[in-house]
Amino acid sequence: MEEEIVARREKGGFWVGLAAVMFYPLTALARRVYVGAGKVPRQGPALLVMNHISHLDPVVDAVFVHRQKRVPRFLGKESLTRTPFFGKIFVGAGQIPVSRGSVAAGDSLKAAHDALAQGKVVVIYPEGTITKDPAGWPKESFTGAARLALQNDVPVIPIARWGTSQIFNGYTKKFTPLPRKTVTHSVGDPLDLSAYRDGNTRSASKLREVTKIMMDDVTRLLAEIRHEEPPAAKPEDPA
């Protein structure tokens, strides 16, 4: 019998259950296509590295991971913890707030390290915010995901997702649920980063190289979904 048939669902508790009740109906706005979903480990720690194109991404990504019988832990802006109602869900469901540009910024990575050490699935968007590239390709990314990948010997899995920005464009604020769109998740093979875990895992050049490896694979998967060629260079945020 296949593992995904016999695997038990990871328990998430009340707040994860409440999030599921809210999020699953929202994902019905679109048709779902999952490619390679079986590559997400059914147990044990994993770091899922994803592109970011819409404010809908955490909702559809959470449901995607939950459908693989895992409870996702997202790194999200600390300000989310102060939003009415959703902030309680964010904290109660064990998500990881990020205080950017402050002395507390390192605490979020420590919390992510702890989650991986406890066998959890951590989801990270290395770009930090939704891409400002008009065509939706991943932009230059931060190195936090590389830090997590090198300092934890866990599966690092690239995943590309496409379709959410056609439903809700975060920059134009345009919400277009109809006609019904398709949201596709494509999961790549775990990255072999063993050679980079030797020596100084905090080297700036090594972190940038590993970040490039991760996001190049995410971009490759995205190009396959879109049947398009990505730009030769990653877009940067406009000045």
Side-chain angles (χ1 to χ4, degrees):
M1 187 177 292
E2 294 183 3
E3 179 186 359
E4 67 175 338
I5 296 177
V6 301
R8 294 182 178 179
R9 179 177 295 283
E10 180 182 355
K11 294 182 179 179
F14 170 79
W15 290 107
V16 171
L18 179 59
V21 168
M22 294 176 59
F23 290 176
Y24 270 72
L26 287 175
T27 62
L29 289 170
R31 293 178 289 271
R32 295 183 302 271
V33 175
Y34 295 163
V35 180
K39 297 175 185 178
V40 176
R42 296 302 189 263
Q43 58 185 355
L47 180 64
L48 308 186
V49 180
M50 305 184 72
N51 63 315
H52 200 6
I53 55 175
S54 168
H55 296 302
L56 280 180
D57 293 345
V59 172
V60 300
D61 296 343
V63 170
F64 166 75
V65 175
H66 196 254
R67 285 182 177 274
Q68 313 318 311
K69 302 186 178 181
R70 301 304 305 270
V71 175
R73 269 72 180 183
F74 287 84
L75 280 81
K77 295 179 181 179
E78 188 272 339
S79 58
L80 290 173
T81 65
R82 300 191 298 274
T83 57
F85 187 64
F86 182 77
K88 290 186 177 181
I89 296 178
F90 184 88
V91 174
Q95 307 310 298
I96 304 168
V98 179
S99 302
R100 293 178 188 156
S102 73
V103 294
D107 292 342
S108 61
L109 282 186
K110 181 182 183 302
H113 286 298
D114 291 344
L116 291 171
Q118 295 165 14
K120 309 300 184 183
V121 168
V122 172
V123 181
I124 188 168
Y125 304 129
E127 296 165 89
T129 59
I130 60 176
T131 180
K132 291 183 174 69
D133 176 45
W137 294 103
K139 66 181 182 66
E140 288 292 334
S141 299
F142 297 100
T143 59
R147 291 178 184 273
L148 290 173
L150 295 187
Q151 294 173 29
N152 297 275
D153 190 7
V154 302
V156 177
I157 302 172
I159 303 176
R161 170 241 317 99
W162 185 246
T164 48
S165 60
Q166 281 73 50
I167 301 172
F168 181 67
N169 186 306
Y171 290 101
T172 65
K173 307 301 181 184
K174 187 175 182 181
F175 180 58
T176 314
L178 297 174
R180 198 172 183 222
K181 313 298 190 297
T182 297
V183 173
T184 301
H185 287 76
S186 181
V187 185
D189 294 324
L191 298 173
D192 182 5
L193 301 176
S194 54
Y196 296 91
R197 292 192 176 108
D198 294 332
N200 181 11
T201 58
R202 298 178 184 272
S203 162
S205 60
K206 183 182 289 188
L207 291 172
R208 287 193 297 269
E209 186 174 353
V210 170
T211 300
K212 183 178 186 303
I213 290 171
M214 293 191 298
M215 293 309 294
D216 280 355
D217 225 41
V218 170
T219 302
R220 177 186 60 78
L221 292 166
L222 181 58
E224 291 176 357
I225 296 173
R226 297 174 57 170
H227 304 290
E228 297 176 17
E229 286 295 322
K234 290 190 182 301
E236 296 183 4
D237 282 346

